[in-house]
Amino acid sequence: MKFTVLTLFPDILRAFFEASIMAKAVERGIVAYDLVNIRDFAFDRHKTCDDATYGGGAGQLLLPEPLGRALDSVEAYKKHVIYVTPSGRPFNQAKALSLSRKDELVFICGRYEGIDQRIIDLYVDEEISIGDYVMSSGEVAATVIIDSVYRLVENVITSESLNEESFSGGLLEYPQYTRPDVYRGLAVPAVLTGGNHEQIRKWRLQKSLQKTLLNRPELIQHARAAGTLSEEAEKMIEALAEHADYKHDRRQRKMLRTVQERIKRQSARNEKKGAIIWTS
C-alpha cells in the first residue's frame, strides 16, 4: 500500500514514516510513501502558497494553483484523495478498515484556514475529520488516519493482535497486565494467571463490557443494532450493576444503571422510528 501526502511541512511526516512499526513495514516493502512539498509547485521565488480569502475574514487560504499542480504531479485523478478537515465526516475504525483495502491514498494536509473549495470540487474524493476540534496542523491529523490504516494492511501486524483491540468487536478493549505480578500493592487479577482459557475469555468479555458501558455506552447500542452483541454479553450487562466489583462503590453502580436506562430509552425511540434494535 502507498501513502502520498501533500504538505507544506514534509519533515513533520518524515519522522513518522521512519520510525517504529511503520519503518519496518516500509523496509519490508509492505508500505510505500511519498511526501510532496506543495511549495515546490509555487510560481514565485518566495514559494508563496497562501493568500487572503475572498469575502473577507481572518486567516489565509492555500492557493489552488500550487496545490493543483502538486496533485497533478502524482496523478491524483487516478487515486483516492482525502482532505483532512474538521468539517469532514467522522473517522472511525470501520473507515480505517475500508481505506486499508485501497492500493494508494493521497492526503492533502491543510494549513491556516484550509484549502480553496475548487480543489475539493475537482480532486477530493473524501473529506474526513478526526474529531470535533480544530488543529493548526493538517499533517498531524493525516498522520492519525495513516497510523490507523496502515496497521490494518495484511502482514503489518498479526491478525490475533488486531482481533482483540478496541472497536474490533464493537466494544472497548479489556484491561491488560504484564510483569511484575504485584506493582505498588496492586496484583494482577488471579484469573489471568490461573491458566483457564475459558475463564480468561469470560473475564475479558465482562471487563470489555464494563469499560464500554462506563466510557462509551453508545457502542453497546450500535452493537445491538448490528446484531453483534451475544446473548452471553447481554446477560453480563444485566449482571454488571450488581457485580461484586461495584458493591463498594455506590456512585459507579448508580452510573451504570443510568447508562443502562439511557440505552433502553434510546432503543425504544429507535424502534418507534422503524430501526431494529436488539435488547435484552
Side-chain angles (χ1 to χ4, degrees):
M1 183 177 193
K2 184 176 181 180
F3 297 98
T4 298
V5 188
L6 280 64
T7 170
L8 294 176
F9 302 96
D11 287 345
I12 294 176
L13 293 128
R14 186 169 289 109
F16 168 74
F17 282 102
E18 295 179 354
S20 191
I21 299 173
M22 173 61 89
K24 294 177 181 178
V26 171
E27 184 179 347
R28 292 163 60 196
I30 302 173
V31 172
Y33 70 96
D34 185 17
L35 303 180
V36 180
N37 192 333
I38 301 169
R39 294 190 189 280
D40 293 340
F41 298 89
F43 292 104
D44 65 337
R45 63 189 181 90
H46 298 293
K47 302 292 184 181
T48 303
C49 287
D50 62 284
D51 206 341
T53 59
Y54 279 117
Q60 301 283 98
L61 205 66
L62 291 187
L63 291 166
E65 290 98 335
L67 184 50
R69 292 175 67 193
L71 286 161
D72 290 340
S73 75
V74 300
E75 298 184 317
Y77 61 91
K78 297 180 181 179
K79 299 158 186 176
H80 194 78
V81 180
I82 296 170
Y83 173 45
V84 187
T85 168
S87 60
R89 292 185 176 182
F91 183 66
N92 56 30
Q93 190 69 12
K95 172 55 67 175
L97 183 60
S98 173
L99 293 177
S100 72
R101 300 188 178 111
K102 303 284 186 183
D103 292 328
E104 181 172 355
L105 298 175
V106 177
F107 287 84
I108 300 174
C109 297
R111 278 275 167 170
Y112 319 119
E113 290 300 306
I115 66 176
D116 191 290
Q117 180 62 39
R118 290 166 292 186
I119 290 292
I120 297 173
D121 295 339
L122 290 170
Y123 292 95
V124 174
D125 295 298
E126 283 192 274
E127 295 178 77
I128 296 180
S129 168
I130 63 168
D132 295 336
Y133 49 88
V134 178
M135 303 176 67
S136 61
S137 172
E139 290 76 17
V140 174
T143 300
V144 168
I145 297 176
I146 293 170
D147 190 81
S148 297
V149 171
Y150 93 94
R151 60 199 309 281
L152 299 175
V153 175
E154 188 176 2
N155 295 324
V156 172
I157 295 177
T158 64
S159 58
E160 181 181 4
S161 295
L162 295 175
N163 290 338
E164 295 188 359
E165 292 180 327
S166 288
F167 307 112
S168 59
L171 304 173
L172 300 183
E173 190 176 18
Y174 48 80
Q176 300 270 29
Y177 298 85
T178 186
R179 290 187 290 271
D181 294 346
V182 178
Y183 174 69
R184 295 188 178 182
L186 298 176
V188 174
V191 65
L192 298 180
T193 60
N196 188 316
H197 296 293
E198 178 60 13
Q199 288 183 5
I200 291 173
R201 183 195 66 79
K202 289 182 177 180
W203 181 89
R204 286 175 169 172
L205 175 58
Q206 183 189 65
K207 292 299 181 181
S208 179
L209 289 165
Q210 185 182 93
K211 180 175 285 189
T212 305
L213 282 165
L214 291 175
N215 295 342
R216 295 289 303 278
E218 77 280 5
L219 294 179
I220 298 292
Q221 180 185 327
H222 295 164
R224 281 176 172 153
T228 58
L229 206 60
S230 67
E231 183 179 348
E232 179 185 29
E234 291 284 13
K235 290 179 179 178
M236 285 185 178
I237 291 172
E238 289 298 318
L240 271 172
E242 299 300 328
H243 192 272
D245 288 350
Y246 282 91
K247 288 185 177 177
H248 70 283
D249 194 330
R250 293 182 180 179
R251 182 173 175 272
Q252 283 194 323
R253 291 173 65 194
K254 182 179 179 181
M255 183 187 301
L256 182 56
R257 289 196 184 98
T258 300
V259 166
Q260 289 177 303
E261 290 170 2
R262 187 168 62 191
I263 290 172
K264 289 180 179 178
R265 286 196 300 269
Q266 184 61 47
S267 297
R269 285 196 292 268
N270 288 341
E271 285 178 341
K272 289 181 181 179
K273 295 178 182 178
I276 300 176
I277 305 294
W278 297 99
T279 57
S280 56

